Amino acid sequence: MNARTPSSMLLPVKTVKRKKETTPAAAPSIAAAVPAPVPALIQDEELSNYMLLAGMGKLRLDQLMYKCDALQAEKRAIESAHLYRQWIEHSDDPQKYLALFNYGSVLQTLGMADLAEEAYRLCVATEPKLAQAHINLGLVFERKGQNQQALDQWSNVVAQGVVNPTSDKLMEVTALNHIGRVYENLKQYEMAEQALRRSLQIDPKQSGVIQHWVHIRQKACMWPVYQSLPNVSANDMLMSTSPLAMLSLHDDPVIQLLSAHAFVGRTYGFKEEFLSKGREYRHDRLRIGYVSGDLKTHPVSLFLLPVLERTDRQRFEVTCYSSTVKPDRITHRLQVLAEHWTDVSALDDGGLFNRIRADGIDIAMFDVPDEVSEVWAPIAAERGAVAVDNSGAFRMDADVPLVVPEVNPEQAKNRPRGIISNPNCTTLTMMAALGALHRKWELKELVVSSYQAVSGAGAPGIDRLQAEIAAVATNPEAGLATDSVSKTLTAAGVSQADSPWAAPIALNVIPVAGSLKDGGHTSEELKVRNESRKILGIKDLKVAATCVRVPVQVSHSLAVHATFARPITVDEVRAELEAQPTVVVMDDPANGIYPTPAHVAGQDPTFVGRIRQAEDFPNTIDLFVVGDNLRKGAALNTYEIAELVAQELA
């Protein structure tokens, strides 16, 4: 983005082809207007012959390009410039504008800005749609300190349709990046940010531009710095941020390290050499490794405790790799249950994976942020383990299966990258039930409203709900008038600024779960749509989802409206679901029997109730599904995937 060199890289001399079909009108008096470089003594006989042919109008354009390219390669740019001018003065070729462009480029590399400007002006007068000429003319203006003229020139490329709308938009992106760079230099940060934003909307795969966009927003105090952009993920922004900028944007040392790794890779082409090409280990017992920084009082560990208690030690050998900085009583309980406990908090990344490899781990189970999994899960797979990942980093990767053992267990074997992904907890809550119904009646349309527990936002979500409940419990008037809950929280010293959400959660529901995306949808809603399609194998499944955060600690609830290809009855649905080993039917609402989060919390199965035929929609069933989001919605499914792999490797 910062390149100022106007060379013919935008339109390489050696790649210019004569297009006979193009016949633009010749500029008036072009020969007289062509600027001349300083005189040069032509001592090369071959070059003299080329000059003679050019003066007679008998040198073809392709021959000219070839010779001038060779002269520049020999560092004879001044002679190349003279040959170009000789040919331009005496040629009536309809593609003379190409020679004018390259002539301007040569003059520009020679530092002859005024002459280059005139050559580019003649070029665009002859062929106004040659975007490269407009861009290089702008660079000439910038070099001469005429910033506004440069900006105007590039703006014309974007605004006046100089770029062919059927092209790859490279020139438009180039113009916008130059605009952004100059505005940044002029400290007009808002204009710079807007230009780079437009550039990224056209081509989101520009790490350098993302880096500058983030840096500009940081300098201009545009908070939050990371703002949603189409097709630019949060991880793209994190990994494209410079290490220095990251120091003030993120206090997690892991994120800072990953940002530095990414920067070095982009800048210097650094690539880590793996210690091995990967292999499958064979042991008397399958070796499972848990890698986590949350082996303490945390939802992850509260699930892991009963898992370790019930692990068959005759079949499995368990190692925990803990980077927990502040161990507590839960840490000590886990240590007793784990066969091997390795404190890796003092190890660097290379040391950690050397240790995992030396331990001969068959299955590595990752419970870490997306950006960490994205880097290290492939490394674990490369070094011999099957990586089972609980983050969102790989869920929609075509080479990574998204597995729910009750629905698509066969996909666990189809892992080209050596990674298996665990679905989002909201999607998982309904999959065991929907998968069973889909197999028999063929799901066609799905409308879902989710009511998601605060633990979906991690430990901070639980802590926040408890703090708010404590605050409102002493005020019976809270919730009876506008903003009375907010006022109660403020009076109790519970600041909204410390909340994971934009509104109170106590005595309230929040109609936004996840981050906002294009079209007004949230990330959670898009996950329900995209992950349901992938798990069920229905590429064109019609899905509409609304995700709501509710004041419940554990267990997500979903109101499901499912339409099938074939006729279906309530009795058939109930019988099919009762036959599923991981589904519990609670469906007697007349006697107060239906699933609720309070009943389901701490249990493994999926609970289903309120099963009924939709009155106005044929082949459609409505039902209410509840599942513990920390168990089947997260860690339990990850463990069940590992069991599939264990059966395969045994």
Side-chain angles (χ1 to χ4, degrees), residues 304-574:
L304 190 57
L305 277 169
V307 170
L308 294 183
E309 289 171 346
R310 301 171 190 178
T311 298
D312 186 348
R313 299 310 170 96
Q314 293 184 344
R315 296 174 57 202
F316 304 107
E317 184 177 350
V318 175
T319 300
C320 289
Y321 299 93
S322 173
S323 59
T324 303
V325 178
K326 295 181 178 180
D328 57 20
R329 60 183 184 86
I330 299 297
T331 308
H332 300 312
R333 288 181 62 186
L334 291 168
Q335 285 179 306
V336 173
L337 294 170
E339 201 159 349
H340 308 286
W341 184 276
T342 302
D343 184 352
V344 297
S345 59
L347 295 181
D348 60 16
D349 300 321
L352 169 61
F353 280 94
N354 286 340
R355 180 59 188 266
I356 291 173
R357 180 172 177 263
D359 291 343
I361 298 298
D362 298 291
I363 302 173
M365 302 174 68
F366 283 81
D367 176 56
V368 291
D370 290 9
E371 54 272 14
V372 179
S373 281
E374 192 168 64
V375 174
W376 295 117
I379 296 176
E382 184 75 16
R383 297 188 179 183
V386 176
V388 183
D389 182 44
N390 196 32
S391 79
F394 304 100
R395 287 174 183 156
M396 300 315 298
D397 188 319
D399 292 326
V400 176
L402 187 63
V403 175
V404 180
E406 298 98 321
V407 181
N408 60 344
E410 72 285 348
Q411 289 299 316
K413 297 180 180 180
N414 180 26
R415 47 178 191 271
R417 299 186 63 182
I419 303 169
I420 304 172
S421 192
N422 191 56
N424 172 262
C425 56
T426 310
T427 309
L428 264 174
T429 300
M430 64 180 175
M431 268 303 121
L434 279 182
L437 301 180
H438 170 61
R439 283 192 296 270
K440 199 162 185 176
W441 288 282
E442 190 182 347
L443 183 65
K444 302 298 290 186
E445 297 179 8
L446 181 64
V447 180
V448 180
S449 294
S450 72
Y451 309 96
Q452 299 179 206
V454 296
S455 53
I462 295 177
D463 293 343
R464 180 68 190 192
L465 176 61
Q466 292 175 345
E468 291 191 12
I469 289 176
V472 301
T474 58
N475 182 9
E477 301 299 317
L480 298 179
T482 302
D483 294 330
S484 58
V485 174
S486 296
K487 292 175 182 177
T488 299
L489 297 179
T490 301
V494 181
S495 172
Q496 190 61 47
D498 299 328
S499 175
W501 308 288
I505 188 65
L507 306 179
N508 201 21
V509 298
I510 302 173
V512 175
S515 56
L516 284 173
K517 302 295 182 181
D518 289 344
H521 305 289
T522 71
S523 57
E524 290 287 304
E525 292 158 355
L526 294 176
K527 289 173 186 177
V528 170
R529 174 180 182 267
N530 298 332
E531 293 179 19
S532 295
R533 289 178 165 185
K534 185 172 181 179
I535 295 165
L536 297 170
I538 313 172
K539 294 182 179 179
D540 58 349
L541 178 66
K542 296 180 179 179
V543 182
T546 300
C547 294
V548 181
R549 192 73 69 184
V550 297
V552 171
Q553 290 205 114
V554 175
S555 297
H556 290 349
S557 305
L558 288 84
V560 178
H561 179 88
T563 300
F564 298 87
R566 293 181 287 278
I568 186 171
T569 68
V570 170
D571 289 341
E572 290 173 329
V573 169
R574 189 177 288 112

